[in-house]
């Protein structure tokens, strides 16, 4: 059903009313203004970053562009009883400016892009900031550099720790083939959860080691003597007397 006042051209299709043509023109104008606003914002942000020492395609990427597309849009409103669908060719924006960096997650170091916001002459990026606030671009560059260095450091620590795990597990499996050699987790109120290597024997006795990645070796952490634990007081006294 066509809207009131809408006519049908048998050769060209629907002829729009004056009101509809005005709505189409206003929509196109809004699209142009919107594209121009974001273009200016994008250019201002890029110039701010370059002026603060950022290097394009190294510290940030800028894929922003304006292009023309033809889309079906809905104009008018149900409240005014003048809603209609129309195919309009207009300007649209695509892409944006994003910071480049690294992210260490689940054992992988990956290149990432982070959204960045602009407010006057300051910027904000929640992915690399400790708190949500706008800061100077030069300060943001420092934080980005620190963030990336930390991610790389975490990845290198992970790789080194995993290599040490493999080496130590193989060492004790070779020395004590009948023992169960595996990684477990311990907890302390000072350091939270941490990994330990446990060498457990059939008797139930075990030795645990912490992994020292800085010295690249295992360090004694805890021992449990199942035989000793099962002795009564008299047996313990006799054992100690014979030491």
């Amino acid at each position: 059903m066509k809207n009131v006042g809408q006519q049908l051209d048998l050769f060209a299709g629907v002829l729009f009313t004056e009101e509809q043509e005005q709505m189409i023109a206003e929509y196109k104008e809004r699209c142009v203004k919107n594209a121009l606003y974001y273009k200016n914002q994008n250019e201002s942000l890029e110039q701010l970053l370059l002026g603060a020492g950022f290097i394009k395609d190294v510290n940030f990427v800028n894929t922003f562009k304006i292009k023309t597309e033809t889309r079906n849009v809905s104009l008018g409103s149900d409240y005014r009883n003048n809603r209609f669908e129309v195919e309009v060719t207009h300007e649209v924006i695509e892409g944006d400016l994003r910071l480049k960096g690294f992210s260490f997650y689940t054992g992988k170091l990956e290149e990432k892009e982070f959204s960045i916001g602009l407010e006057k002459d300051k910027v904000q990026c929640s992915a690399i900031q400790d708190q949500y606030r706008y800061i100077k671009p030069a300060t943001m560059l420092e934080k980005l550099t620190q963030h990336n260095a930390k991610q790389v450091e975490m990845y290198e620590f992970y790789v080194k720790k995993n290599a040490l795990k493999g080496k130590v597990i193989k060492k004790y499996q070779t020395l004590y083939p009948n023992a169960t050699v595996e990684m477990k987790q311990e907890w302390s109120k000072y350091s939270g959860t941490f990994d330990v290597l446990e060498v457990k024997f059939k008797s139930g006795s075990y030795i645990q080691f912490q992994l020292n990645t800085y010295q690249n070796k295992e360090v004694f952490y805890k021992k449990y003597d199942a035989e000793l634990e099962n002795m009564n007081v008299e047996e313990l006294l006799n054992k100690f007397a014979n030491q």
Side-chain angles (χ1 to χ4, degrees), residues 86-209:
V86 60
E87 188 177 82
V88 183
T89 299
H90 59 89
E91 289 189 347
V92 296
I93 61 173
E94 183 178 271
D96 57 2
L97 189 153
R98 300 171 71 84
L99 299 183
K100 290 187 67 175
F102 295 112
S103 176
F104 172 70
Y105 182 68
T106 61
K108 295 180 180 179
L109 183 68
E110 299 179 336
E111 290 189 354
K112 292 286 186 180
E113 295 178 1
F114 310 118
S115 297
I116 181 171
L118 172 67
E119 186 176 272
K120 296 182 180 179
D121 61 344
K122 292 185 177 181
V123 292
Q124 187 275 334
C125 177
S126 57
I128 63 173
Q129 288 178 251
D130 298 329
Q131 52 185 311
Y132 185 93
R133 66 187 183 93
Y134 285 82
I135 57 178
K136 293 179 180 179
T139 305
M140 180 64 75
L141 180 56
E142 291 176 8
K143 288 189 174 294
L144 177 62
T145 303
Q146 292 167 0
H147 167 86
N148 289 338
K150 182 178 179 181
Q151 301 303 303
V152 172
E153 181 183 346
M154 290 168 62
Y155 171 71
E156 291 176 345
F157 177 81
Y158 172 84
V159 171
K160 192 173 182 179
K161 187 175 182 180
N162 267 14
L164 180 58
K165 280 182 185 179
K167 184 179 76 171
V168 176
I169 288 174
K170 184 177 180 181
K171 172 183 173 180
Y172 287 101
Q173 284 177 335
T174 303
L175 289 172
Y176 307 103
N178 294 324
T180 301
V181 183
E182 61 184 351
M183 296 302 302
K184 291 198 168 183
Q185 287 194 326
E186 288 286 309
W187 182 89
S188 77
K189 64 179 180 180
Y190 300 107
S191 55
T193 302
F194 58 94
D195 291 332
V196 295
L197 174 75
E198 183 177 274
V199 183
K200 189 172 185 178
F201 300 89
K202 291 181 178 179
S203 64
S205 300
Y206 61 79
I207 298 286
Q208 290 183 340
F209 300 92

Side-chain angles (χ1 to χ4, degrees), residues 56-63 96-100 113:
K56 191 173 183 178
D57 296 326
V58 174
N59 304 122
F60 71 91
V61 292
N62 193 351
T63 59
D96 57 2
L97 189 153
R98 300 171 71 84
L99 299 183
K100 290 187 67 175
E113 295 178 1

